[in-house]
Amino acid sequence: AAPAGGGGGGIKADSMLAVLTQALESDDKQLLAECLGVTNNRVVQATVARLPPRMVTALLKKVVERFQKRPARSVALVSWIRALLTQHTSLLMTHPDVVRSLTPLYQLVEARVSTYHKLLKLEGRLELALSQVSNRSRGGSEYSKEPDVTVDEGGEPDEVDVVGDDMDESEDDEDDDDEEE
């Protein structure tokens, strides 16, 4: 029973395991693509759990290769990778060639995460610029153009000179009294 495309709604893990095993043994790329196209997490988890140990590394290598070739369409493959890594960790750790297989995957994920962080920074800057533009278009800024206080840190490390704060509090109080009269 060959899996029918996308979601894998009516596929059972037993039949999926048979098809996946056949695809791996015969190196049938189309059949493997149909199997890896299944996104039903229960079917993926159950299939990977029943996968014979001799097939685990072969499947992991195939999944990682597909992930590398088309990273933009790799959403379905993530569930397969996660299932393989979580359910067969001890087996995978005994194979030294698995590290070589996973290195490109690690590099790809790191590159994506790095790009994601850069995009988040850019988004923040754009939001700030847009909010400033919209604030100006509404008639001014709530922020003054000249600073109220300027801090000169050129002195001693323990001292901070405040420039621009020439008025002391007693003058403020006298000004308030004059206004009330």
Side-chain angles (χ1 to χ4, degrees):
I11 298 172
K12 293 188 178 181
D14 291 335
S15 61
M16 178 63 137
L17 179 62
V19 174
L20 182 61
T21 303
Q22 180 184 352
L24 289 170
E25 287 175 345
S26 65
D27 200 24
D28 186 338
K29 293 179 182 179
Q30 185 174 352
L31 195 57
L32 182 62
E34 288 182 32
C35 292
L36 295 178
V38 173
T39 57
N40 183 324
N41 205 34
R42 274 195 213 137
V43 173
V44 171
Q45 293 285 337
T47 302
V48 169
R50 293 184 181 123
L51 195 64
R54 62 183 168 71
M55 298 282 183
V56 172
T57 54
L59 178 60
L60 183 62
K61 287 177 183 178
K62 296 284 185 186
V63 172
V64 169
E65 284 173 14
R66 287 179 179 274
F67 192 88
Q68 283 179 279
K69 286 180 185 173
R70 296 191 124 174
R73 296 183 177 198
S74 57
V75 175
L77 297 177
V78 170
S79 61
W80 287 94
I81 293 171
R82 182 183 302 131
L84 283 163
L85 292 176
T86 56
Q87 294 183 27
H88 295 287
T89 304
S90 58
L91 175 70
L92 292 170
M93 289 175 62
T94 63
H95 293 312
D97 61 323
V98 170
V99 172
R100 282 192 302 269
S101 298
L102 291 177
T103 299
L105 175 67
Y106 174 77
Q107 291 170 341
L108 182 65
V109 169
E110 281 296 313
R112 287 229 171 154
V113 167
S114 171
T115 302
Y116 178 71
H117 288 299
K118 290 175 185 174
L119 288 173
L120 281 178
K121 285 181 181 179
L122 178 61
E123 179 189 28
R125 290 177 183 152
L126 287 172
E127 283 184 27
L128 177 63
L130 289 173
S131 69
Q132 288 176 346
V133 166
S134 70
N135 192 22
R136 284 189 184 145
S137 67
R138 284 185 294 196
S141 172
E142 60 187 66
Y143 302 107
S144 65
K145 304 230 185 277
E146 294 295 320
D148 291 335
V149 175
T150 306
V151 177
D152 179 19
E153 295 179 352
E156 294 294 316
D158 294 286
E159 297 177 14
V160 175
D161 298 330
V162 178
V163 180
D165 193 15
D166 295 335
M167 297 175 49
D168 63 1
E169 291 179 19
S170 63
E171 289 177 338
D172 283 340
D173 293 337
E174 290 174 6
D175 290 342
D176 291 340
D177 291 339
D178 290 341
E179 289 177 10
E180 290 176 10
E181 292 176 6

